[in-house]
Amino acid sequence: MSAGADLAIASAGLAKRFGRQLVVDDLALAVPHGAVYGFIGPNGSGKTTTIRMLLGLVRPDAGGCTVLGEPMPVASGRVLPHVGALVEGPAFHPYLSGTANLARLDAADPTSDRVTSGSRIAAALDRGGLSAAAGKRYRAYSLGMRQRLGIAAALLRPRQLLVLDEPTNGLDPQGTREVRHLVAELAADGTTVFVSSHLLAEVEQLCSHVGVMRTGQLVAQGPLADLQALTAPRFRLLTPDREPALDVLARLGVADATLDGDELTGGLGTLAAEAVVAALVAGGVAVQAFVPVRATLEDLFLQLTGEGFDVSG
């Protein structure tokens, strides 16, 4: 665990079992300082249990972890004031307003500055997009507004690390864009952001680094661009000559070519794009467009696990 001081989050051999079920198995996280780290995997893959162990809410059965260079949960008293978290959805008093709920949270924090409480609450509500609803009772909030208030609560004071579990749950497209913009702002200010999600398209737009979970195990992690580069390149071909194109592609060894209207897609493998186009033209195929396609997180996950999950929600 000596490398933990160089990372915002690090773990080695982290494991948790509930009864006979091994929920997290031999987890070795490496989250660099200043990264926006997307922690992805299907529901039930162990993401939330991992977060709860990182925050000291659940004790691991094996292994250990450090957060901001300190061992958890031993150093939770020193670490947690520098960590903002939204885990498993926010919980607030239904009869209090957004402002009053945040005021109670801030008052319960022995490390908060009472002099600046009002201004910090107003700023957090503003960053969460709730200034107009600050005086409304929580019970009247929509699901998206409740999620925003949870994010605002995590931002009541400056944080070195922000941990968000499904932060766009219940948000409309505009709210989702605002969360993406907020995460980008926080990262630009030097905050490390750890985002757990099962929505691949969301993570792809948010994150600089990714960790992929499957049935409690971390099957890959690293910079997003590096992981995408591991995925076999693909292409998109637009042509009216569908059957001749399929014949040419089959002769070239493209075994996974699929047809959707006038569009064909497939994997390039080791083939050069220009060689494929030349072969198509030589075979009498009218090539209207041939576009190499950047690998997506869905492609990566399918390649790593052979399984798919929710891409867009």
Side-chain angles (χ1 to χ4, degrees), residues 30-74:
V31 181
H33 286 288
V36 180
Y37 186 103
F39 195 44
I40 67 174
N43 290 329
S45 59
K47 302 188 305 296
T48 297
T49 298
T50 298
I51 288 175
R52 293 177 69 83
M53 286 191 286
L54 295 175
L55 296 175
L57 301 174
V58 170
R59 286 189 174 271
D61 294 322
C65 59
T66 62
V67 175
L68 301 178
E70 299 267 19
M72 292 292 287
V74 177

Side-chain angles (χ1 to χ4, degrees), residues 20-35:
R20 295 184 177 180
Q21 184 180 6
L22 187 60
V23 179
V24 176
D25 181 15
D26 194 26
L27 192 66
L29 285 171
V31 181
H33 286 288

Side-chain angles (χ1 to χ4, degrees), residues 43 66 89 129 137 143 182 191 197 250 302:
N43 290 329
T66 62
R137 290 185 177 184
L143 177 60
L182 175 58
T191 302
S197 181
L302 286 169

Side-chain angles (χ1 to χ4, degrees), residues 235-239 241-242 245-246 249 258-260 262-266 276-277 280 285-291 293:
F235 67 85
R236 188 171 68 248
L237 167 65
L238 185 63
T239 177
D241 303 322
R242 298 180 290 276
L246 285 170
L249 292 171
T258 57
L259 178 64
D260 182 11
D262 289 340
E263 186 173 279
L264 282 156
T265 61
V276 177
V277 173
L280 289 166
V285 176
V287 178
Q288 295 174 321
F290 186 92
V291 183
V293 179

Side-chain angles (χ1 to χ4, degrees), residues 181-256:
H181 181 70
L182 175 58
V183 168
E185 279 186 346
L186 292 167
D189 291 339
T191 302
T192 304
V193 185
F194 185 89
V195 182
S196 169
S197 181
H198 68 286
L199 302 180
L200 299 182
E202 170 189 297
V203 170
E204 205 158 16
Q205 294 181 67
L206 274 176
C207 299
S208 60
H209 293 67
V210 170
V212 183
M213 289 286 286
R214 177 178 182 247
T215 59
Q217 294 184 319
L218 189 69
V219 294
Q221 75 173 333
L224 176 59
D226 290 355
L227 293 180
Q228 287 175 323
L230 299 175
T231 307
R234 298 185 62 79
F235 67 85
R236 188 171 68 248
L237 167 65
L238 185 63
T239 177
D241 303 322
R242 298 180 290 276
E243 294 305 321
L246 285 170
D247 291 340
V248 171
L249 292 171
R251 289 198 298 271
L252 290 172
V254 180
D256 64 343

